[in-house]
Amino acid sequence: MTTSAVLFIRSDLGQDVLYDNVASHAGCEEVPAQSVVEDAVADFPTFDDSYASATSRCSGAIIEVQYGNHDTRQKLETYLNRHGENDPTSGWWWRSIPVELRNV
């Protein structure tokens, strides 16, 4: 009889460790209007190769920040630690807008 082990990785952990992403888990009722997010994106700072955009979610939008390496993610998270907040259940927020970090 052969036994095999199967490892299940929680989706968020896999996104973080394998893909270097931080998803937003804000509920639809928390997502602001597209126009609010588009206005805020203009003020969102970028670092190195990062790019922030308003991304449609539910009936509104969130800020999605794309970047090319882990060092840039660390700079973004350092900024968000000082000027935003990290809710344990929904993720990063900046100016009451959910933020998603995506390594591309």
Side-chain angles (χ1 to χ4, degrees):
M1 174 186 252
T2 341
T3 60
S4 54
V6 177
L7 177 63
F8 291 98
I9 299 176
R10 223 180 80 228
S11 177
D12 287 347
L13 182 60
Q15 284 295 316
D16 182 11
V17 174
L18 296 176
Y19 302 110
D20 200 26
N21 297 331
V22 182
S24 171
H25 297 290
C28 287
E29 67 282 354
E30 300 173 293
V31 175
Q34 180 91 23
S35 60
V36 170
V37 178
E38 288 171 354
D39 289 344
V41 163
D43 295 332
F44 192 89
T46 55
F47 301 92
D48 302 332
D49 61 351
S50 67
Y51 173 78
S53 63
T55 301
S56 296
R57 176 79 51 95
C58 302
S59 60
I62 65 169
I63 295 174
E64 178 180 281
V65 184
Q66 297 182 356
Y67 51 94
N69 63 62
H70 187 73
D71 290 337
T72 303
R73 173 183 164 177
Q74 288 178 316
K75 291 175 184 177
L76 289 160
E77 289 186 317
T78 297
Y79 173 82
L80 288 168
N81 270 324
R82 291 186 195 135
H83 304 284
E85 67 179 87
N86 192 358
D87 181 274
T89 58
S90 60
W92 287 111
W93 291 79
W94 182 72
R95 295 187 182 175
S96 302
I97 301 170
V99 177
E100 184 164 279
L101 304 178
R102 183 170 306 278
N103 190 332
V104 291

